[in-house]
């Protein structure tokens, strides 16, 4: 039986973390664009060290998650035609990959977003997103109301880190 904890509202979490002196620099400091908000640093889910056998229904600190319980060793690259369960999303992020999730895009936007896919960048649908595109990396997120390939390419370049696991120093800006 999995114990569920009530989710912490994102606004409250951000207020708690960003309101602590010395941590303000970690909150929403990355440049945004007309289509995309700033890059936001999120808190580490204390359950990030838990490896799951199956991508079961688990509550995460953030949505979509940027850390938390995950299935070990997920192998997904390029584009996916189906949504990825949160436990699989976190596994990819733990491996140093970037995940570009989307919903309700027209074909031209899909082609532009899929052009960013590669061995360390996964593009996947997610019908539950609050925005059209959400880029995630370990402890980091950027939300976009439309595809902005230049801004998303910058997010990818700044956050792809397949040569190191984030657990070594999960609180550091480099993950």
């Amino acid at each position: 039986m999995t114990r569920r904890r009530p989710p912490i509202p994102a606004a409250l979490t951000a207020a708690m973390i960003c309101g602590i002196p010395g941590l303000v620099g970690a909150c929403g400091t990355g440049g945004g664009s007309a289509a995309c908000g700033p890059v936001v640093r999120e808190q580490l889910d204390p359950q990030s060290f838990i490896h799951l056998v199956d991508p079961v229904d688990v509550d995460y600190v953030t949505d979509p998650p940027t850390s938390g319980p995950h299935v070990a060793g997920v192998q997904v690259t390029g584009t996916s035609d189906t949504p990825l369960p949160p436990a699989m999303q976190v596994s990819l992020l733990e491996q140093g990959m970037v995940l570009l999730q989307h919903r309700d895009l027209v074909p031209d936007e899909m082609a532009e977003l899929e052009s960013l896919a590669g061995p360390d960048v996964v593009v996947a649908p997610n019908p539950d997103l609050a925005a059209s595109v959400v880029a995630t990396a370990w402890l980091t997120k950027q939300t976009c109301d439309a595809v902005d390939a230049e801004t998303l390419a910058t997010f990818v370049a700044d956050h792809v880190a397949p040569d190191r696991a984030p657990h070594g120093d999960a609180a550091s800006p480099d993950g």
Side-chain angles (χ1 to χ4, degrees):
M1 183 164 130
T2 304
R3 286 184 76 184
R4 295 182 147 236
R5 59 187 155 107
I8 299 171
L12 179 59
T13 300
M16 290 186 306
I17 297 298
C18 294
I20 298 172
L23 290 181
V24 174
C27 299
T29 58
S33 70
C36 299
V39 174
V40 176
R41 184 86 168 145
E42 297 190 320
Q43 70 179 7
L44 176 68
D45 186 322
Q47 298 183 78
S48 292
F49 299 97
I50 297 173
H51 286 137
L52 303 169
V53 175
D54 293 313
V56 296
D57 188 26
V58 176
D59 288 328
Y60 289 85
V61 173
T62 61
D63 182 32
T66 58
S67 65
H70 54 281
V71 178
V74 170
Q75 299 295 314
V76 178
T77 59
T79 60
S80 173
D81 293 333
T82 59
L84 302 175
M88 290 177 71
Q89 295 173 29
V90 175
S91 179
L92 295 172
L93 304 182
E94 181 194 37
Q95 295 173 54
M97 298 176 80
V98 168
L99 182 57
L100 302 175
Q101 296 181 81
H102 60 86
R103 68 164 175 80
D104 303 328
L105 298 181
V106 297
D108 287 347
E109 291 174 314
M110 275 301 306
E112 194 172 11
L113 189 62
E114 288 177 346
S115 73
L116 299 171
D120 300 316
V121 180
V122 175
V123 175
N126 184 337
D128 298 326
L129 295 176
S132 295
V133 179
V134 178
T136 53
W138 188 255
L139 299 180
T140 311
K141 182 183 298 176
Q142 187 166 28
T143 302
C144 303
D145 293 327
V147 175
D148 179 336
E150 183 178 334
T151 299
L152 292 167
T154 298
F155 183 93
V156 168
D158 290 348
H159 296 95
V160 160
D163 58 334
R164 61 184 172 195
H167 292 319
D169 185 5
S172 79
D174 292 332

